[in-house]
Amino acid sequence: MFKKWKWFFTILLVAATMLVIRLEDQGVVDTPVRKMVTTSADLTYLSELGQSWFDKENETITVSSDVGQADLLTFANAQVFKEGYLLQYDVGLPVYAGQNGLVVFTGHTKYTGKTMTISYDDGTTVSYGMLDSLAQLPYTSIQANDLIGMKEAGQLYLSIEKGDAHYDLEQIVQWLETMETHED
């Protein structure tokens, strides 16, 4: 009975959050709700709350060594865009989670199209935008190497934030290289 209530309150929380974010996107709400929900202590709290409710210890996913962030390092060029970078890819590629974390946004934005934002366990918040398909739902826990989405040839938006600072291109490349070394 208690598990049913957890699901109900989780669904209610997600629905209310998504509604307020949609109102923010439409200019009805002036408070930057997306910023509050996708940064800092709020994400840590939501991540810990979600993990405590949905214990995934008994769910083991076997991954092969050929998945991870390595493909993201093959971009042809990069240009600054908003708080991140547009990375150009000559071929399509799957996009995988760099490590364990919580999906805090999955949807469509005005500037980055199909976008997924993940709060990773290392304290980084990463937004993957201009994806062609999304493979995760908002407010779900993910494991390293879980599929996030697919990107056809073209530009992928990538923004990494830790604390109140956004990573520059060199820091993004270093972060991706670090995630590559964590592959199984």
Side-chain angles (χ1 to χ4, degrees), residues 112-156:
T112 60
K114 287 183 184 174
T115 301
M116 183 172 297
T117 301
I118 300 172
S119 172
Y120 285 118
D121 289 351
D122 71 351
T124 57
T125 300
V126 181
S127 291
Y128 304 85
M130 299 182 179
L131 292 166
D132 293 296
S133 66
L134 302 170
Q136 300 292 329
L137 295 173
Y139 297 100
T140 56
S141 293
I142 59 167
Q143 304 299 314
N145 298 325
D146 281 355
L147 182 67
I148 293 170
M150 297 297 292
K151 178 63 193 150
E152 294 176 8
Q155 293 181 320
L156 171 73

Side-chain angles (χ1 to χ4, degrees), residues 93-106:
L93 60 127
V95 180
Y96 296 99
Q99 57 181 289
N100 298 344
L102 178 71
V103 177
V104 294
F105 176 76
T106 299

Side-chain angles (χ1 to χ4, degrees), residues 27-101:
V28 175
V29 176
D30 292 331
T31 305
V33 176
R34 177 176 282 120
K35 187 72 172 168
M36 288 189 296
V37 174
T38 60
T39 59
S40 147
D42 292 333
L43 290 178
T44 303
Y45 173 75
L46 286 174
S47 177
E48 290 171 358
L49 180 64
Q51 289 174 8
S52 70
W53 283 2
F54 306 108
D55 182 22
K56 290 191 139 192
E57 287 182 329
N58 296 329
E59 295 180 29
T60 303
I61 299 173
T62 304
V63 296
S64 64
S65 62
D66 61 343
V67 299
Q69 300 286 348
D71 286 345
L72 292 180
L73 289 167
T74 65
F75 59 91
N77 64 48
Q79 70 185 113
V80 176
F81 185 75
K82 301 291 178 188
E83 292 91 16
Y85 290 86
L86 295 176
L87 306 178
Q88 180 69 37
Y89 294 92
D90 296 331
V91 296
L93 60 127
V95 180
Y96 296 99
Q99 57 181 289
N100 298 344

